[in-house]
Amino acid sequence: DCVNARHGNPHLCREGSCVPLTLARECPLVLGLGKDNENLKRPDPIVFGAYSYVDPIAPRLSVPTLNYELAINEVNERGGLSGGTGGTRRPFIAVVCNGRDSPDLDASLGHLVDELQVPAILASLHGLDLLEAFETKGLPNNVFFLSPLEADNKLRNLPDNGLLWHMLTSSTELAPAYLPLLERSERWVRAQLELSEDDPIRVALVDARVPFLTDIVD
């Protein structure tokens, strides 16, 4: 019933009610449904949340969203993940919410965690938003968060019960690379301006007040 076209947008059955997958401006896009919502009709689809940049005019046309769709379609075209009811394979379906300049992060998190009860969120969020989302909704509800971005020290040292993962390295591990980078840049500047080793060069370090960059500065 919930997948039936009479409901308009695709719905999911939760506790005896049909809950819409999308949410106004906050979560307007669903990936992996297949033709005529066929993947939502299969047994045990894996519905998870994802944050990305969602353009109001062309929701799919952002690099993160296209990357998500490419990966989801590839997995689903191969049948999905094993372990479904009666040995069936489980397709992936992503409810994509706006993670950049989100009009209401609380609303999108409530939709994903409380209403859809997603087991996981692919969270392309800035550090402070990711911290708030995980502490308020992820950890208390045992929701797995995978960030495709880097981690600052606060995120890296957060007690997370193994529920918060990052695909890029932490600021502490990246910071040492700036020292040889500075030396390389200095050699290039001296060569371009024909400066000797004794000529002083003034260096300014600009901190954007983003926790990840502040860690590198420190």
Side-chain angles (χ1 to χ4, degrees), residues 25-26 98 100-105:
R25 296 180 304 159
E26 288 82 8
N98 198 350
R100 183 182 299 178
D101 302 324
S102 175
D104 194 336
L105 185 61

Side-chain angles (χ1 to χ4, degrees), residues 22 32 58 79-80 84 89 116 120 122 131 149 166 170 183 192:
T22 59
R89 300 185 70 85
L116 296 179
L122 182 56
L131 179 64
L149 307 177
H166 305 271
S170 70
E183 294 173 356
Q192 296 298 312

Side-chain angles (χ1 to χ4, degrees), residues 71-133:
I72 291 169
N73 288 347
E74 183 173 338
V75 172
N76 288 346
E77 286 167 4
R78 297 183 180 186
L81 189 71
S82 61
T85 303
T88 58
R89 300 185 70 85
R90 308 178 65 186
F92 284 101
I93 295 172
V95 178
V96 183
C97 302
N98 198 350
R100 183 182 299 178
D101 302 324
S102 175
D104 194 336
L105 185 61
D106 290 338
S108 60
L109 283 169
H111 178 65
L112 293 176
V113 177
D114 299 329
E115 296 177 2
L116 296 179
Q117 300 170 18
V118 298
I121 294 176
L122 182 56
S124 181
L125 293 169
H126 295 302
L128 294 177
D129 287 339
L130 178 59
L131 179 64
E132 177 187 348

